[in-house]
Amino acid sequence: MQVRQLAEMLGVSPDTVRYYTRIGLLEPKKSIDNGYKFYSPNDQNRLRFILSARDLGFSVDDIKQIFHKADEGESPCPTVRRLIDNRLHETEQRFQDTLRLRARMHVAVESWGDKPDKRPSGNVICHLIDDFNKMPE
Amino acid sequence: MQVRQLAEMLGVSPDTVRYYTRIGLLEPKKSIDNGYKFYSPNDQNRLRFILSARDLGFSVDDIKQIFHKADEGESPCPTVRRLIDNRLHETEQRFQDTLRLRARMHVAVESWGDKPDKRPSGNVICHLIDDFNKMPE
DNA sequence: TGTAAACCTGTGAGCTGGACACAGGTCAAG
DNA sequence: CTTGACCTGTGTCCAGCTCACAGGTTTACA
C-alpha cells in the first residue's frame, strides 16, 4: 500500500503519513525499483493508533515512547497513565490561559466600540491598545 | 541602551528582544566599534507596545502591520479592529478545541481508573487507548 | 508505437515565537 | 598581564505538520 492509499483510508493527508514516517513512527519498506514506500497492514494499525492517541492529546514523542514499550513486549499502560497526567496538566493550563485571553479580548473589543480612530502621536502608537493596557484591573 | 538593559527594564529575556529585532519590529543602531546594537527610547516605547499587543493576542505579523500603518502616519486603529476580530475567532476556536480535549481527557482518565494494564497483543497496542477510541459517544 | 498530460513520489524547506548553543568581545579584580 | 565573569550577535532547534519542487509513473489518446 502506498502513502496516498493509506492516508485516504484513515482520513489524513499523505503529508501527515510522510511526517509520521519521517520521524520513525511508521516503518514502511522501500521498494527496490522505484524507491516508493510500501506500507503494511501493521503500519495501518499503527497509524490508527497514532490518530487515536493524538485525539487524546498525546504528543508524537509520547507516542514514540508508547511504541517503544509495546515493541519490546512490555505493557505500555503505565507509561500511558503517566503521560496523560502530564498532558492533562498542560491542557488545563492552556485552557485557563485561553479562557483569560478570550475574556481580555472581549473586554477590549467592547471598550473600543465607542472610541474613535486616532493617528499615532508622540509615543502613542495606537491609543486603543496603549490605553487598554493602562486600564484598571 | 543595550539589549540586556532594555530586556530587564520591560521584564522580558534578551533573546526575546533579539527576536523582535531580528524580525524587524525593533530597529536599533549598530555601534561602529563593537557591533553591539544600541536601543533608543523609541525602541523602548515600541517594545512596550509590542508586549501590550501580545497580551491581547496579536501575532507578531499583526504587530508588524500595525507598525507599518503607524510609521506612515496613518491611523492603525481600523487595522487593529479588523485584526482583533480574526484573532478573536481563532481564540474562540482554540478555546472550544481545548475545552473538548480537556473533557475527553478527563473521561479517559476516569474510565481507565479500574482497568488493568495489559501487554500488547495482535493489533492492540494499548487497550486503554484502543478501546477508549471505540467507546460510544 | 509514441507522447503529452495527469498524477504520484520523496526530499527539503517553511511556518510561530521564541530558547539555546557557541565563539568571541569586554571589563573589573588581582 | 591575566584570569574569570559577563556580555554580544549569529546560527540552529523545537512541534506538527504543510507546501514547493524536481522527477518518476501511469493513463488517454493518436
Side-chain angles (χ1 to χ4, degrees):
Chain A
M1 188 185 322
Q2 295 178 187
V3 61
R4 177 164 301 267
Q5 198 183 342
L6 174 59
E8 279 178 3
M9 179 171 306
L10 295 186
V12 296
S13 79
D15 276 330
T16 298
V17 175
R18 289 196 189 97
Y19 171 63
Y20 292 143
T21 304
R22 191 142 30 171
I23 63 173
L25 287 183
L26 301 176
E27 295 172 334
K29 284 168 193 137
K30 268 200 174 186
S31 165
I32 303 287
D33 46 339
N34 60 9
Y36 287 6
K37 280 154 184 165
F38 185 84
Y39 294 87
S40 70
N42 187 42
D43 285 318
Q44 187 180 323
N45 188 50
R46 283 171 90 99
L47 179 53
R48 209 188 330 265
F49 181 85
I50 292 169
L51 299 180
S52 298
R54 193 181 65 170
D55 283 352
L56 275 172
F58 291 99
S59 73
V60 294
D61 191 75
D62 292 343
I63 299 171
K64 227 181 260 187
Q65 293 184 49
I66 295 168
F67 277 173
H68 188 69
K69 283 282 179 200
D71 286 347
E72 290 189 337
E74 293 180 52
S75 171
C77 300
T79 304
V80 165
R81 296 182 203 273
R82 180 173 50 77
L83 289 173
I84 204 168
D85 230 55
N86 300 339
R87 295 299 164 203
L88 196 47
H89 280 107
E90 288 177 18
T91 303
E92 183 63 30
Q93 186 64 54
R94 231 187 28 247
F95 174 74
Q96 297 294 340
D97 290 348
T98 311
L99 185 61
R100 260 195 302 276
L101 175 60
R102 188 176 75 146
R104 246 180 104 68
M105 294 176 85
H106 275 298
V107 173
V109 169
E110 186 87 8
S111 78
W112 291 349
D114 52 0
K115 286 197 177 139
D117 294 348
K118 282 190 193 171
R119 308 257 229 93
S121 71
N123 45 11
V124 174
I125 294 169
C126 168
H127 76 113
L128 298 175
I129 292 176
D130 277 314
D131 291 357
F132 182 78
N133 191 241
K134 288 187 210 123
M135 271 180 49
E137 190 65 13
Chain B
M1 187 187 318
Q2 293 178 188
V3 62
R4 178 165 298 268
Q5 197 182 344
L6 174 58
E8 279 178 2
M9 180 171 305
L10 295 186
V12 296
S13 79
D15 276 330
T16 297
V17 174
R18 287 195 189 99
Y19 171 62
Y20 292 145
T21 304
R22 190 141 31 170
I23 63 173
L25 287 183
L26 300 176
E27 296 172 333
K29 283 167 193 137
K30 267 200 173 184
S31 164
I32 301 289
D33 48 338
N34 59 8
Y36 287 7
K37 282 156 184 165
F38 185 84
Y39 294 87
S40 69
N42 186 42
D43 285 317
Q44 187 180 323
N45 188 50
R46 283 171 90 100
L47 179 53
R48 206 186 335 262
F49 181 86
I50 292 169
L51 299 180
S52 298
R54 195 181 64 169
D55 283 352
L56 275 170
F58 291 99
S59 72
V60 295
D61 191 75
D62 292 343
I63 300 172
K64 228 182 257 187
Q65 293 184 49
I66 295 169
F67 277 172
H68 187 69
K69 283 282 180 199
D71 286 346
E72 289 187 336
E74 293 180 52
S75 170
C77 299
T79 303
V80 165
R81 295 181 203 273
R82 179 173 52 77
L83 288 174
I84 204 168
D85 231 54
N86 300 339
R87 295 300 163 202
L88 195 47
H89 279 107
E90 287 177 19
T91 302
E92 183 62 30
Q93 186 65 55
R94 231 188 28 247
F95 174 75
Q96 297 294 340
D97 290 348
T98 310
L99 184 61
R100 260 194 303 275
L101 175 60
R102 187 177 74 147
R104 248 181 102 68
M105 294 175 85
H106 275 298
V107 173
V109 170
E110 187 86 8
S111 78
W112 291 350
D114 51 1
K115 287 199 176 135
D117 295 348
K118 282 190 194 169
R119 307 257 230 98
S121 71
N123 47 10
V124 173
I125 295 169
C126 167
H127 77 114
L128 298 176
I129 291 176
D130 276 315
D131 292 355
F132 182 78
N133 191 241
K134 290 187 210 122
M135 272 180 48
E137 188 65 12

